[in-house]
């Protein structure tokens, strides 16, 4: 047996700290015949979430069964759970339909002047590029910093650029979509606090698989769609705005409930030009209530398992694939250690053929930037990852 083949101790002693078998059976029953490793594209809905959506839509058919107070309580619960997920308070959370809304909010609301620079890393997902690029209409430049030779954000270079007083915003993904690189948030947070640069985070590839606490690593704005690692319906998501910043920023597009007094439906035409004092000033009501009801169920599940536990589980899941890659000198595109994440990208010599083989065996992954991207989640098992290795075989 080759050294990398000695995985049995991991398998037999492996326990994610929760009842994986029961979770798979009750919340993800399709895992019986499909290996789904594609959370970086779209996360599955747990059964509890699907049931909430079905029930909500059943009542929606006869809308008098869904009183306003229940709709607004649903959104309040979403803000509460999103806040809990990142160590924020609900007043710092605005509900949104995707990540792009929050990033566009940042681009359009931060006080930027002609001549200012927004700094991002090259190879960012486009959702974190185009809203900034559009700012050229205000004379603001988007500077895309070259990545390292490995294709990862060059944090040393990004930090160095903060010395340029024209750099007013640093916009980065918490986790890179194409290689799983996780930025050193503590380092970026400390540096941007020191330089007075706004730090804007696209968190969709990180939240749900990595712990984040904005009280320990402060950021200014953090945007997150919930459709991937948060296992939530399309159309749900949120943006966090640091509390001191909330009142300083005005939304450039607005909704009618962003203003004080609009919860009193008997006096809606007594217009009030005062924006709410909390992050609801950035919300565009009406929102998809059913999707937020679903998000609440999914966040409840993730928080009850614990994000730290999920992060550890994902590292354990990578082990068989990493051992296989080491055995066969297959290029691993993703970093390990603290810069790693639940996303593992590998590049066997005939990557297209390997990808097709996985697909034919009902292993769902994706191809990104010339590599196979494996993105397991809390419901995946070591046995499934060993099966992946068996299918990949001799590259
Ligand atoms: C880093 C990153 N940001 C944003 C998105 C999606 O943006 P949105 O939620 O606006 O569709 C993705 C993936 O689709 C992504 O990988």
């Amino acid at each position: 047996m080759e050294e990398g083949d000695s995985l049995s101790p991991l398998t037999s002693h492996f326990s994610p700290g929760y009842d994986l078998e029961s979770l798979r059976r009750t919340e993800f029953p399709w895992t019986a015949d499909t290996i789904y490793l594609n959370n970086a594209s779209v996360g599955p809905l747990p059964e509890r979430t699907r049931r909430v959506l079905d029930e909500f839509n059943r009542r929606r058919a006869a809308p008098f069964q869904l009183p306003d107070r229940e709709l607004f309580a649903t959104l309040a619960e979403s803000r509460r759970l999103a806040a809990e997920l990142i160590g924020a308070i609900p007043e710092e959370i605005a509900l949104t339909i995707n990540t792009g809304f929050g990033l566009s909010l940042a681009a359009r609301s931060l006080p930027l002047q002609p001549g200012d620079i927004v700094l991002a890393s090259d190879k960012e997902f486009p959702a974190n590029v185009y809203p900034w690029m559009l700012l050229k209409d205000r004379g603001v430049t988007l500077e895309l910093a070259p990545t390292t030779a490995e294709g990862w954000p060059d944090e040393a270079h990004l930090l160095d650029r903060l010395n340029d007083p024209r750099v007013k915003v640093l916009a980065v993904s918490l986790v890179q979509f194409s290689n799983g690189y996780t930025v050193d948030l503590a380092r970026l947070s400390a540096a941007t606090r020191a330089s007075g640069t706004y730090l804007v985070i696209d968190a969709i590839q990180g939240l749900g698989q990595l712990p984040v606490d904005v009280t320990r690593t402060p950021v200014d704005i953090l945007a997150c769609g919930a459709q991937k690692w948060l296992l939530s319906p399309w159309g749900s998501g949120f943006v966090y705005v640091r509390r001191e910043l909330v009142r300083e920023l005005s939304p450039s597009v607005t909704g009618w409930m962003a203003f004080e007094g609009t919860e009193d439906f008997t006096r809606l035409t007594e217009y009030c030009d005062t924006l709410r004092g909390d992050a609801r000033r950035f919300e565009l009501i009406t929102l998809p209530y059913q999707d937020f009801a679903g998000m609440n169920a999914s966040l409840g599940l993730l928080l009850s398992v614990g994000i730290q536990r999920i992060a550890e589980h994902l590292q354990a899941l990578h082990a068989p694939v990493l051992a296989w890659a080491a055995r066969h000198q297959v290029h691993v595109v993703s970093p390990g250690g603290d810069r790693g994440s639940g996303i593992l990208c590998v590049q066997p010599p005939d990557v297209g053929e390997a990808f097709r083989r996985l697909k034919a065996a009902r292993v769902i992954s994706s191809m990104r930037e010339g590599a196979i991207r494996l993105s397991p989640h809390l419901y995946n098992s070591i046995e499934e990852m060993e099966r992946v290795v068996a299918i990949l075989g001799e590259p």
Side-chain angles (χ1 to χ4, degrees), residues 239-261:
V239 56
Y240 158 88
V241 181
R242 183 170 56 79
R243 70 192 77 169
E244 296 81 6
L245 206 53
V246 168
R247 283 171 185 271
E248 286 176 30
L249 304 185
S250 298
S252 62
V253 291
T254 196
W256 60 271
M257 288 199 84
F259 291 82
E260 295 285 3

Short mmCIF file of all heavy atoms in Angstrom, two decimals, residues 239-261:
data_model
loop_
_atom_site.label_atom_id
_atom_site.label_comp_id
_atom_site.label_asym_id
_atom_site.label_seq_id
_atom_site.Cartn_x
_atom_site.Cartn_y
_atom_site.Cartn_z
N VAL A 239 -26.98 42.18 3.25
CA VAL A 239 -25.78 43.00 3.28
C VAL A 239 -25.63 43.55 4.69
O VAL A 239 -26.61 43.98 5.30
CB VAL A 239 -25.80 44.12 2.20
CG1 VAL A 239 -27.01 45.02 2.32
CG2 VAL A 239 -24.52 44.96 2.25
N TYR A 240 -24.41 43.44 5.20
CA TYR A 240 -24.07 44.00 6.51
C TYR A 240 -23.42 45.36 6.29
O TYR A 240 -22.55 45.50 5.42
CB TYR A 240 -23.09 43.06 7.22
CG TYR A 240 -22.26 43.73 8.30
CD1 TYR A 240 -22.71 43.83 9.61
CD2 TYR A 240 -21.02 44.28 8.00
CE1 TYR A 240 -21.94 44.46 10.59
CE2 TYR A 240 -20.25 44.91 8.97
CZ TYR A 240 -20.72 44.99 10.26
OH TYR A 240 -19.97 45.63 11.22
N VAL A 241 -23.85 46.35 7.06
CA VAL A 241 -23.21 47.67 7.02
C VAL A 241 -22.82 48.00 8.47
O VAL A 241 -23.69 47.98 9.36
CB VAL A 241 -24.14 48.75 6.45
CG1 VAL A 241 -23.43 50.12 6.41
CG2 VAL A 241 -24.62 48.37 5.05
N ARG A 242 -21.54 48.26 8.68
CA ARG A 242 -21.04 48.56 10.03
C ARG A 242 -21.87 49.68 10.66
O ARG A 242 -22.17 50.68 10.00
CB ARG A 242 -19.56 48.97 9.93
CG ARG A 242 -18.88 49.25 11.24
CD ARG A 242 -17.37 49.38 11.02
NE ARG A 242 -16.99 50.40 10.05
CZ ARG A 242 -16.96 51.72 10.29
NH1 ARG A 242 -17.30 52.19 11.48
NH2 ARG A 242 -16.60 52.56 9.35
N ARG A 243 -22.23 49.49 11.92
CA ARG A 243 -23.24 50.38 12.52
C ARG A 243 -22.90 51.86 12.43
O ARG A 243 -23.78 52.68 12.17
CB ARG A 243 -23.57 49.96 13.96
CG ARG A 243 -22.48 50.20 14.98
CD ARG A 243 -22.80 49.50 16.27
NE ARG A 243 -22.52 48.06 16.15
CZ ARG A 243 -22.50 47.21 17.18
NH1 ARG A 243 -22.78 47.62 18.38
NH2 ARG A 243 -22.21 45.95 17.00
N GLU A 244 -21.62 52.20 12.61
CA GLU A 244 -21.24 53.63 12.57
C GLU A 244 -21.43 54.21 11.17
O GLU A 244 -21.54 55.42 11.00
CB GLU A 244 -19.78 53.83 12.98
CG GLU A 244 -19.46 53.44 14.42
CD GLU A 244 -19.24 51.94 14.61
OE1 GLU A 244 -19.24 51.20 13.59
OE2 GLU A 244 -19.11 51.50 15.77
N LEU A 245 -21.47 53.32 10.19
CA LEU A 245 -21.56 53.77 8.80
C LEU A 245 -23.00 53.90 8.32
O LEU A 245 -23.30 54.64 7.38
CB LEU A 245 -20.81 52.74 7.93
CG LEU A 245 -20.19 53.15 6.62
CD1 LEU A 245 -19.28 54.35 6.79
CD2 LEU A 245 -19.42 51.97 6.03
N VAL A 246 -23.90 53.16 8.98
CA VAL A 246 -25.27 53.08 8.49
C VAL A 246 -25.86 54.47 8.25
O VAL A 246 -26.37 54.79 7.18
CB VAL A 246 -26.16 52.28 9.46
CG1 VAL A 246 -27.64 52.45 9.12
CG2 VAL A 246 -25.79 50.81 9.43
N ARG A 247 -25.76 55.32 9.26
CA ARG A 247 -26.41 56.64 9.15
C ARG A 247 -25.66 57.59 8.23
O ARG A 247 -26.20 58.61 7.81
CB ARG A 247 -26.55 57.28 10.54
CG ARG A 247 -27.68 56.69 11.35
CD ARG A 247 -27.61 57.20 12.79
NE ARG A 247 -28.61 56.55 13.61
CZ ARG A 247 -29.85 57.01 13.77
NH1 ARG A 247 -30.24 58.11 13.18
NH2 ARG A 247 -30.69 56.35 14.54
N GLU A 248 -24.40 57.24 7.93
CA GLU A 248 -23.62 58.12 7.04
C GLU A 248 -23.95 57.88 5.58
O GLU A 248 -23.65 58.71 4.73
CB GLU A 248 -22.12 57.85 7.23
CG GLU A 248 -21.54 58.39 8.52
CD GLU A 248 -20.07 58.01 8.66
OE1 GLU A 248 -19.36 57.85 7.64
OE2 GLU A 248 -19.64 57.85 9.82
N LEU A 249 -24.52 56.70 5.28
CA LEU A 249 -24.74 56.33 3.88
C LEU A 249 -26.21 56.44 3.50
O LEU A 249 -27.09 56.05 4.26
CB LEU A 249 -24.27 54.90 3.62
CG LEU A 249 -22.82 54.57 3.97
CD1 LEU A 249 -22.49 53.15 3.52
CD2 LEU A 249 -21.85 55.56 3.34
N SER A 250 -26.45 56.97 2.30
CA SER A 250 -27.81 57.01 1.77
C SER A 250 -27.88 56.05 0.60
O SER A 250 -26.94 55.96 -0.19
CB SER A 250 -28.14 58.41 1.25
OG SER A 250 -28.07 59.32 2.30
N PRO A 251 -28.99 55.34 0.48
CA PRO A 251 -29.10 54.43 -0.67
C PRO A 251 -29.28 55.23 -1.96
O PRO A 251 -29.91 56.29 -1.94
CB PRO A 251 -30.35 53.61 -0.36
CG PRO A 251 -31.16 54.48 0.56
CD PRO A 251 -30.19 55.34 1.32
N SER A 252 -28.72 54.71 -3.06
CA SER A 252 -28.91 55.44 -4.33
C SER A 252 -30.15 54.95 -5.06
O SER A 252 -30.64 55.62 -5.95
CB SER A 252 -27.68 55.32 -5.22
OG SER A 252 -27.48 53.98 -5.55
N VAL A 253 -30.62 53.77 -4.71
CA VAL A 253 -31.97 53.36 -5.13
C VAL A 253 -32.71 53.08 -3.84
O VAL A 253 -32.10 52.65 -2.85
CB VAL A 253 -31.97 52.09 -6.03
CG1 VAL A 253 -31.38 52.38 -7.39
CG2 VAL A 253 -31.22 50.95 -5.37
N THR A 254 -34.00 53.32 -3.83
CA THR A 254 -34.68 53.19 -2.54
C THR A 254 -36.02 52.48 -2.66
O THR A 254 -36.60 52.38 -3.74
CB THR A 254 -34.84 54.58 -1.88
OG1 THR A 254 -35.16 54.40 -0.51
CG2 THR A 254 -35.94 55.39 -2.54
N GLY A 255 -36.47 51.99 -1.52
CA GLY A 255 -37.78 51.34 -1.42
C GLY A 255 -38.64 52.12 -0.44
O GLY A 255 -38.12 52.88 0.39
N TRP A 256 -39.93 51.90 -0.50
CA TRP A 256 -40.84 52.75 0.30
C TRP A 256 -40.78 52.46 1.79
O TRP A 256 -41.17 53.30 2.59
CB TRP A 256 -42.27 52.68 -0.23
CG TRP A 256 -42.90 51.31 -0.24
CD1 TRP A 256 -42.84 50.39 -1.24
CD2 TRP A 256 -43.71 50.74 0.79
NE1 TRP A 256 -43.54 49.27 -0.91
CE2 TRP A 256 -44.10 49.46 0.33
CE3 TRP A 256 -44.15 51.17 2.04
CZ2 TRP A 256 -44.90 48.61 1.08
CZ3 TRP A 256 -44.95 50.32 2.79
CH2 TRP A 256 -45.31 49.05 2.31
N MET A 257 -40.24 51.31 2.18
CA MET A 257 -40.15 51.05 3.63
C MET A 257 -38.79 51.42 4.21
O MET A 257 -38.49 51.13 5.36
CB MET A 257 -40.50 49.60 3.95
CG MET A 257 -41.99 49.32 3.78
SD MET A 257 -42.55 47.85 4.64
CE MET A 257 -42.82 48.45 6.29
N ALA A 258 -37.96 52.07 3.40
CA ALA A 258 -36.66 52.53 3.89
C ALA A 258 -36.81 53.78 4.76
O ALA A 258 -35.86 54.22 5.38
CB ALA A 258 -35.74 52.82 2.71
N PHE A 259 -38.04 54.31 4.79
CA PHE A 259 -38.28 55.58 5.49
C PHE A 259 -39.07 55.37 6.78
O PHE A 259 -39.87 54.42 6.89
CB PHE A 259 -39.00 56.54 4.54
CG PHE A 259 -38.11 56.98 3.41
CD1 PHE A 259 -37.93 56.17 2.30
CD2 PHE A 259 -37.40 58.17 3.48
CE1 PHE A 259 -37.07 56.54 1.27
CE2 PHE A 259 -36.54 58.56 2.46
CZ PHE A 259 -36.37 57.73 1.36
N GLU A 260 -38.83 56.26 7.72
CA GLU A 260 -39.52 56.22 9.01
C GLU A 260 -41.04 56.27 8.81
O GLU A 260 -41.51 56.98 7.92
CB GLU A 260 -39.11 57.42 9.88
CG GLU A 260 -37.66 57.45 10.30
CD GLU A 260 -37.32 56.46 11.40
OE1 GLU A 260 -38.21 55.69 11.81
OE2 GLU A 260 -36.15 56.45 11.81
N GLY A 261 -41.74 55.56 9.65
CA GLY A 261 -43.20 55.71 9.70
C GLY A 261 -43.97 54.84 8.72
O GLY A 261 -45.20 54.77 8.79
#
